[in-house]
Amino acid sequence: MGYYRNKTVLVTGAFGGFGLCFVSELLNRGASLILSDTPENVRAASEGMVQIPGAEGGRGRQVLSLIPADLSSAEGCRALHEEYRDLGIGLDMIIHNAGIACWGEYADVPPELNEKIIDINLLSVMRLNALFLPEIINRCGHIIYVSSVAGFVATPFGVAYSTSKFGVRGFAMALHGEIGKHGVRTTIVYPFFSRTPILKSRTFGNPAISYLPGFCSSSPGHVVSCALQGAARGKLHVFPGFFSRIMWLASRFHPVISAQRKIRGHS
Ligand SMILES: NC(=O)c1ccc[n+]([C@@H]2O[C@H](COP(=O)([O-])OP(=O)(O)OC[C@H]3O[C@@H](n4cnc5c(N)ncnc54)[C@H](OP(=O)(O)O)[C@@H]3O)[C@@H](O)[C@H]2O)c1
């Protein structure tokens, strides 16, 4: 896919489950990468404890920089932007991928954690865009957002998470209405459950979660491959995999699903 060749791409959450798949696919497709993750993850990667897949040599296969940044605060987002600026290179694409989750009834989850989910999953996206937008507009770039099926289906036992992912979707669509005219592309990706470390996030209380059979969760590689293909085709919304598409269609035809209302009875 020639779309990514010679593009410079910033990936957040680069050493997580989806992150490493983005890295591998983008390197294979000839992109140059700036990778960011938590200071701990970047240290582990620098010390060789995390292998960067596909980074071993070859023309056009390059990781330009590893930037540690805790995206849970405005300072962390600024630090990432400042380190990027010091590189003195242009940027064609941002992949907003960093994220956290937890499971449990809203009242059982510590309020600071609910707020941290919003900080990392939503506010960091808004903050980074505010910082990087001039560069992205200047290069007629592309912004890819990793939302979730929880960004269009209100999801109990993941209230802050679902709020953050609805927020990302609304933010991305509204901003696209402003920056599309500058030639900037937007792609929002809505994965269903996928086998990455985030599925092992902490649980609080004793939520009545029914566990999904394994076949319902997709491989991270498949999700990322669909995301990059959709983005290269200029799609605004990408539903990677059968369950993501089914949930989207179900929520269109039966809006009660996305609103968590009973089909009969009061809302
Ligand atoms: N897997 C799924 O089922 C699924 C479904 C829908 C959407 N998503 C979304 O996909 C994205 C990637 O998640 P994933 O599934 O690949 O999970 P993951 O493996 O946990 O990756 C998330 C990455 O973000 C990093 N991160 C966490 N807090 C951060 C912070 N404060 N600053 C900077 N980076 C931070 C994580 O670091 P740590 O390793 O230290 O946590 C990790 O490297 C997330 O936005 C998630 O919400 C996932």
Side-chain angles (χ1 to χ4, degrees):
M1 205 183 301
Y3 183 67
Y4 298 95
R5 184 159 303 282
N6 300 325
K7 284 200 163 53
T8 302
V9 183
L10 167 65
V11 184
T12 69
F15 300 114
F18 287 161
L20 285 171
C21 296
F22 275 118
V23 171
S24 166
E25 287 246 2
L26 287 166
L27 288 174
N28 283 336
R29 292 168 189 207
S32 298
L33 304 184
I34 300 168
L35 306 181
S36 182
D37 208 311
T38 60
E40 299 74 32
N41 288 350
V42 169
R43 195 173 317 116
S46 313
E47 289 168 359
M49 283 145 70
V50 180
Q51 291 302 319
I52 300 178
E56 57 289 327
R59 207 167 137 264
R61 295 157 77 87
Q62 48 179 333
V63 175
L64 301 174
S65 183
L66 305 183
I67 304 184
D70 177 355
L71 298 183
S72 63
S73 68
E75 301 83 75
C77 296
R78 271 197 299 274
L80 167 51
H81 183 250
E82 273 163 27
E83 280 219 34
Y84 155 74
R85 238 184 13 206
D86 290 347
L87 296 173
I89 50 178
L91 187 68
D92 301 295
M93 184 179 290
I94 304 179
I95 302 183
H96 290 291
N97 168 67
I100 61 167
C102 74
W103 317 112
E105 291 201 8
Y106 183 68
D108 289 332
V109 177
E112 317 79 67
L113 180 53
N114 281 322
E115 287 180 19
K116 191 173 176 187
I117 289 172
I118 300 295
D119 274 329
I120 296 171
N121 296 8
L122 175 58
L123 286 179
S124 83
V125 171
M126 298 173 67
R127 287 167 175 152
L128 290 175
N129 275 9
L131 293 163
F132 281 96
L133 217 45
E135 179 68 15
I136 290 288
I137 289 175
N138 190 31
R139 307 264 290 203
C140 297
H142 195 149
I143 309 176
I144 299 180
Y145 303 82
V146 182
S147 178
S148 169
V149 165
F152 59 84
V153 175
T155 308
F157 313 122
V159 171
Y161 183 79
S162 193
T163 303
S164 72
K165 295 300 183 178
F166 265 78
V168 164
R169 176 166 159 248
F171 171 74
M173 290 167 70
L175 183 64
H176 180 65
E178 295 181 5
I179 61 178
K181 63 177 178 285
H182 300 298
V184 177
R185 291 183 177 199
T186 295
T187 298
I188 313 161
V189 188
Y190 306 96
F192 192 59
F193 291 101
S194 181
R195 296 181 285 280
T196 73
I198 208 170
L199 293 189
K200 299 249 160 45
S201 298
R202 282 181 68 190
T203 299
F204 295 86
N206 192 16
I209 297 174
S210 37
Y211 288 93
L212 285 173
F215 71 84
C216 292
S217 60
S218 52
S219 85
H222 179 67
V223 170
V224 165
S225 191
C226 293
L228 292 177
Q229 267 175 37
R233 288 186 193 135
K235 291 200 171 166
L236 179 58
H237 302 284
V238 174
F239 304 95
F242 175 77
F243 288 102
S244 173
R245 278 194 301 279
I246 278 292
M247 294 302 284
W248 176 251
L249 290 174
S251 70
R252 297 289 92 187
F253 291 116
H254 298 286
V256 285
I257 290 175
S258 55
Q260 291 292 338
R261 291 164 60 192
K262 292 200 165 46
I263 289 174
R264 284 173 217 279
H266 64 279
S267 56

